[in-house]
């Protein structure tokens, strides 16, 4: 988690003067988005359900929100390539623009890139 946060700070995409530390009284990080009333073009109930599933299976934790961007740390990354397409499809279900409308790589390559990856980022325009 700390490496993802350090990477976001190092990239200096957002200045620290624009960042706010928020402690959310949630039992699970997957509940934090709904509790703070986060709004983006994301389908919040579906996204929270996906995050809860990823939290259970991969140790995923919400680390940062910047406007309509979501950054997630992954404690137990996917290790088996045979399950990569299923996880990539779940990422598509998030409706994130960086995955659905403006994919960085073709779907099979995106899926294989998830193997061993310790952070995921999503954004909605």
């Amino acid at each position: 988690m700390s490496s993802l946060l350090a990477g976001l700070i190092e990239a200096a995409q957002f200045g620290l003067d624009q960042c706010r530390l928020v402690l959310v009284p949630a039992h699970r990080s997957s509940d934090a988005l709904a509790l703070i009333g986060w709004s983006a073009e994301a389908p919040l109930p579906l996204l929270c359900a996906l995050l809860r599933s990823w939290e259970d299976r991969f140790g995923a934790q919400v680390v940062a929100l910047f406007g309509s961007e979501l950054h997630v740390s992954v404690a137990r990354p996917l290790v088996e390539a045979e399950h990569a397409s299923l996880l990539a499809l779940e990422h598509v279900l998030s409706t994130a623009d960086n995955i659905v409308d403006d994919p960085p790589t073709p779907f099979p390559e995106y899926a294989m890139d998830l193997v061993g990856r310790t952070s995921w980022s999503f954004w909605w325009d």
Side-chain angles (χ1 to χ4, degrees):
M1 187 178 326
S2 61
S3 62
L4 172 58
L5 192 53
L8 291 170
I9 292 169
E10 187 177 295
Q13 184 176 358
F14 301 94
L16 287 178
D17 59 330
Q18 297 175 2
C19 296
R20 301 294 179 262
L21 176 63
V22 178
L23 298 176
V24 180
H27 293 287
R28 300 172 63 132
S29 115
S30 56
D31 298 334
L33 301 179
L35 287 171
I36 65 170
W38 183 64
S39 62
E41 296 296 318
L44 193 55
L46 173 63
L47 184 58
C48 289
L50 286 169
L51 285 167
R52 182 170 278 246
S53 176
W54 298 336
E55 187 174 352
D56 291 341
R57 293 170 17 222
F58 304 108
Q61 297 288 314
V62 173
V63 172
L65 293 169
F66 298 109
S68 62
E69 291 186 28
L70 169 66
H71 299 274
V72 177
S73 175
V74 182
R76 296 181 305 275
L78 182 69
V79 294
E80 297 180 20
E82 64 194 45
H83 298 129
S85 291
L86 178 59
L87 179 58
L89 181 57
E90 291 177 19
H91 282 207
V92 168
L93 289 174
S94 75
T95 72
D97 290 329
N98 64 309
I99 298 170
V100 177
D101 294 334
D102 189 23
T105 56
F107 183 83
E109 291 176 39
Y110 179 80
M112 289 290 92
D113 187 45
L114 291 173
V115 176
R117 198 158 161 209
T118 58
S119 65
W120 305 330
S121 296
F122 306 89
W123 59 85
W124 295 263
D125 290 329

